[in-house]
Structure formats: structure tokens, C-alpha cells
Amino acid sequence: MTRDDTGSLDRSGEGPGSEHRPAGLTGGPATGQSQLAELADLLRRNADFRKLFFASVVSFLGDWFALVAVAGLVEGITGSEGSTALVFASEVLPIFLFAPVAGMLADRFDRKRIMVSSAVLRTVPALGLLVAAATESAPLAYLCVASISMLAAFYEPIVGAVVPNVVDSEDLSLAQAAIGSVWGTMLFLGAAIGGVITWAFGREASFVVNAATFVVAAGLIVSIRRPFSEGQVRATASVLAHVTEVWRFVRPRKPVRALMITKAGVGVGNGIVGLLPIYALTVFEAGDLGTGVLLAMRGLGALVGPYVGRALYRDDGNKLVFWCGASIVTYALFYLLLPAAGARWIAAAVVGLAHVGGGNQWVASTTGLQVATPDQVRGRVMSLDFSLATLGIGLSSLVAAALAESIGLLGASLVLPGFSLVYGVLWLVWTRDLWRWGRPDPLAREAGVAS
């Protein structure tokens, strides 16, 4: 089934709400259109995906407005080189703790209600950052960031489970590339604009904008008409049972196992991102505006990466697996160059190129998991995947803070991407039977088994 722009049903085909699953990775019809033109067409003709897309746009836009301001706030209060890395740890570790719960609920209860509740409740800690700024309390700032993150665990992973149900199967890879690139696009725009807004109007303005975006996102989600799932299942009632059941599904499926742990490859080195504000504030002495520029380049790379990757692996699961691993290596190699950057524009370019790899790796692995898992377990698989990724990022951020304080910024900037480089090489070696040319498409095989 497909839908026109008004959301009405067109019964000329089979859509994601039917009992059929895609047979493998599909890239849509060969129309000769550019990917941006394809995306514009998808947004025009699918009103429900358009609303989901723009809900993510406004939510992430506010988040990156706020992150620039929070990083500058805690560094100014504490004067510690590890302080900004702790902001990133506060942002991601709660997701690790709560994403499995979110996945369990997403397969058991109404996904739309969960997402709307998450968006509305995040306005409270978002406004709490105003109190942290007024009282110059770094602990309160960390607490507010952690609270926003905890509630986001009941929103962001569920988006990955919802996308296949609001688009038709032939649009899935494009839709996921678009949703995945929203994070990078809004980091690019939000961090850059946030740096300017914070510089011009103060950090409080960024905190207010962030809170407002959650209200807008909730309104867009409420208006989506397509069902967010094919029907709730009797998901297990405990997190331990939930993880056990997902592992029972994943264990005999090497492609799914490999894709579920690939995000950790970038994650183990991602603590260096938490040190970017220190480069901006102390090495280049560029203030909040400099922080915004470096984070914006991170976002630009994450924006471009999924589209570069989609052009490289389109319609080929073997290539998708290979480029997941190769992207980890790309990420690590460029970040190893950061300490040698003698000027802020060189540092910005290095950061952007590193996240071309990081952005592709994240979206490609998510797309592969969407293809290879059925709807009945997809919410739990996606949330556990997200949880494992954020665990790696969160622990890496804590390590970054400790290394920056103990061995200095230079040492930390070499050790962290070194972790990712080793991980990426070992992952490629382990998965060589999945990506060697001429082998059967591993994702199509898993989709056939799951259907």
C-alpha cells in the first residue's frame, strides 16, 4: 500500500503496513534523479514521513543550539579540560541505560504516545538549564543534560523502528539516509547558528529555543496518520528477558550481530568529540563561536557521509557491510591528524572528513538492521543497537575526560582515535566472509529468513 500527499491510501501496491517484508536492500527506481531530488520527491508525496522528518529536524536543531551553550557554560565555571567531555558523557550514557527499556515498550505499547510523551517531558530539564546558568551550577547543568538524554532514549531509537512503517519498502534506504542525515544537518546548522546566537544573545536564548523545539516536534508526531507498527506483540516484561530474547534472535545471524556492534567502532573513539570545545576555547582561543564551528563541521561530515555511503553501496548488502568497517577506519585516520592541525580551518576540515566516515557508518548499519529484522522484534533490536553504541560513546567520553586531565589534550587526542582504528581493522577481518565480492548478499538472505 502506498499513500499520496494527503495520507490517503492507494491500494496499488504493498507497503510496510502489509505482512510482506522487503527482500533485501532496495534503492528505489532507477530514475536518474539525484539523491536530493529523490528526497524532495519523497517528502512531497509522503506527508507522514515529511512530518516525522521535520520533527527530527526541529528537535535536533534545538539540541545543538543548547550543546554549544552548555559546553561553554561548564568550561567557564570549572576551568577543567575534561569538563566538556563530561557534558558528552552526560548526554549519551543515560541512553545506554534506558534504550533497552524503550525498545521493550516500543514493541509492547503505542510507539506514537511514547514519542510524544518523550518530546513534551524534555521541555522541563531544557528549561532547567536556565537555572543552572543563573546559579553557575555545573552539576545542575550535567543533571539537566542527562535528564534530556534519558527522555530522548524513548524517542530517538524508536524513530528507527518507525521509519519502515511510514514509508514504502522501495523508499526505505532513501528515507533512512534522510533521517540519519538530519542529525548531521542539524548539528551543522544548529551548532553554527547556536554559536552565533550564544555569542550575540547569551546562552539563555539557546536554552529557551531548545525547549520550544520539543513542543513543535510533539505536535508533528501527533499529526502522523500511518500506524507506527504492524501491531503490538506480547513483548517480555523485564529488561533482562527483553535482552535475552533479542540475543536469541541475533545469535544465529552473523550479519545482524556484526551490524549491531559496528557503531561501537566509532563509539570507542568518540570521546575526542567531547574535547573539540577545548580545542576551540583554549587551543584556538575562539570562544563559543569556535566551538560552534568545529561542531558544525562535525555535522557537515555526518550530513554528507550517509549520501556518499549510499552511492557506494546502493542495492548491495556486501558493499554495505564493507563500507561500515571502512568508515570506522576513515573516521580514526582523520582524527589522528587533529593534533597536527596548525590552524582552526585545518582542524575544521579534519573534523568534517572524519565524520563523513562516522556518518556513513551509523546510517549504513541502521539501514542494514532495518532490512534484516522483522517488525515484531525491530523496536528491541534497534534500541539495543542504539544502547550499545551510546555505551561506547559514553565510556569513551569518560575516558577522554580522564585522559585530558592525566596525560593532556595531545595524548588523549592520539589514544582515542587509536582505539577506533584497531576496532575497525579487526571488525573488517572478522566480517570478511560477509563483504567479499561475489558472495551472496547477506542482508537479502536474512530478510528472506525473517519474512
Side-chain angles (χ1 to χ4, degrees):
M1 242 182 311
T2 59
R3 295 172 188 249
D4 63 20
D5 189 60
T6 63
S8 61
L9 298 180
D10 169 15
R11 303 182 182 274
S12 60
E14 294 291 337
S18 73
E19 63 182 0
H20 299 288
R21 291 282 302 140
L25 195 66
T26 58
T31 62
Q33 292 179 303
S34 70
Q35 293 189 62
L36 288 179
E38 287 182 89
L39 174 58
D41 180 61
L42 174 59
L43 292 173
R44 178 192 59 77
R45 57 187 166 80
N46 187 326
D48 288 330
F49 177 72
R50 184 169 66 244
K51 293 169 184 175
L52 182 66
F53 178 82
F54 284 111
S56 296
V57 165
V58 297
S59 178
F60 280 129
L61 179 64
D63 283 344
W64 295 121
F65 258 66
L67 186 62
V68 172
V70 173
L73 175 65
V74 299
E75 196 279 333
I77 294 172
T78 66
S80 168
E81 285 195 341
S83 61
T84 58
L86 290 178
V87 172
F88 282 79
S90 300
E91 184 185 28
V92 296
L93 281 176
I95 295 179
F96 161 69
L97 295 174
F98 288 95
V101 179
M104 178 184 69
L105 296 177
D107 285 341
R108 189 177 179 88
F109 299 108
D110 189 316
R111 291 172 179 170
K112 178 185 286 189
R113 290 183 181 179
I114 294 171
M115 292 175 68
V116 170
S117 299
S118 166
V120 171
L121 289 173
R122 274 181 281 171
T123 60
V124 176
L127 293 174
L129 288 168
L130 292 170
V131 180
T135 59
E136 295 189 345
S137 172
L140 179 57
Y142 291 133
L143 178 61
C144 289
V145 170
S147 299
I148 294 171
S149 177
M150 177 193 72
L151 292 166
F154 295 87
Y155 184 97
E156 293 171 16
I158 297 177
V159 172
V162 168
V163 170
N165 294 316
V166 298
V167 300
D168 301 310
S169 59
E170 64 268 20
D171 294 322
L172 177 58
S173 67
L174 174 62
Q176 184 52 45
I179 287 289
S181 69
V182 166
W183 182 89
T185 305
M186 291 304 103
L187 173 52
F188 173 51
L189 295 176
I193 300 172
V196 173
I197 294 296
T198 301
W199 170 74
F201 300 104
R203 291 165 181 153
E204 292 79 3
S206 295
F207 300 149
V208 172
V209 170
N210 188 31
T213 60
F214 295 135
V215 177
V216 174
L220 288 168
I221 294 298
V222 166
S223 66
I224 294 176
R225 296 176 61 183
R226 283 199 189 193
F228 278 30
S229 65
E230 295 177 6
Q232 279 67 50
V233 298
R234 296 296 299 173
T236 49
S238 73
V239 174
L240 179 60
H242 143 66
V243 173
T244 302
E245 185 175 342
V246 171
W247 175 244
R248 193 176 296 122
F249 171 81
V250 170
R251 183 174 58 187
R253 298 170 170 86
K254 184 175 179 178
V256 179
R257 290 203 318 272
L259 291 172
M260 283 190 70
I261 65 171
T262 185
K263 291 183 178 69
V266 168
V268 295
N270 200 258
I272 194 171
V273 173
L275 301 177
L276 293 180
I278 299 299
Y279 273 95
L281 296 169
T282 63
V283 176
F284 299 119
E285 298 182 343
D288 286 339
L289 189 59
T291 298
V293 169
L294 288 184
L295 291 178
M297 290 305 296
R298 177 195 180 198
L300 180 60
L303 163 64
V304 172
Y307 294 101
V308 172
R310 186 168 179 261
L312 292 170
Y313 66 73
R314 192 170 182 172
D315 299 327
D316 192 323
N318 303 81
K319 291 181 180 179
L320 182 146
V321 173
F322 171 78
W323 283 109
C324 278
S327 294
I328 299 172
V329 174
T330 299
Y331 173 89
L333 290 176
F334 276 109
Y335 258 125
L336 284 169
L337 298 176
L338 180 60
R344 68 186 70 175
W345 68 269
I346 297 177
V350 165
V351 170
L353 290 169
H355 285 279
V356 170
N360 174 62
Q361 181 273 329
W362 187 283
V363 173
S365 60
T366 299
T367 301
L369 285 173
Q370 288 176 328
V371 169
T373 56
D375 183 74
Q376 290 80 4
V377 75
R378 192 186 306 129
R380 285 164 285 171
V381 168
M382 301 304 294
S383 66
L384 186 57
D385 169 63
F386 199 72
S387 179
L388 291 172
T390 53
L391 174 62
I393 295 169
L395 292 178
S396 183
S397 297
L398 293 177
V399 171
L403 289 175
E405 295 296 329
S406 59
I407 65 175
L409 184 61
L410 174 61
S413 300
L414 294 175
V415 170
L416 292 164
F419 290 157
S420 287
L421 180 61
V422 172
Y423 192 110
V425 171
L426 292 177
W427 190 90
L428 280 170
V429 172
W430 175 57
T431 60
R432 62 189 181 279
D433 60 315
L434 301 178
W435 54 259
R436 281 186 295 190
W437 301 168
R439 302 295 294 269
D441 186 323
L443 303 183
R445 184 174 67 247
E446 289 303 327
V449 171
S451 63

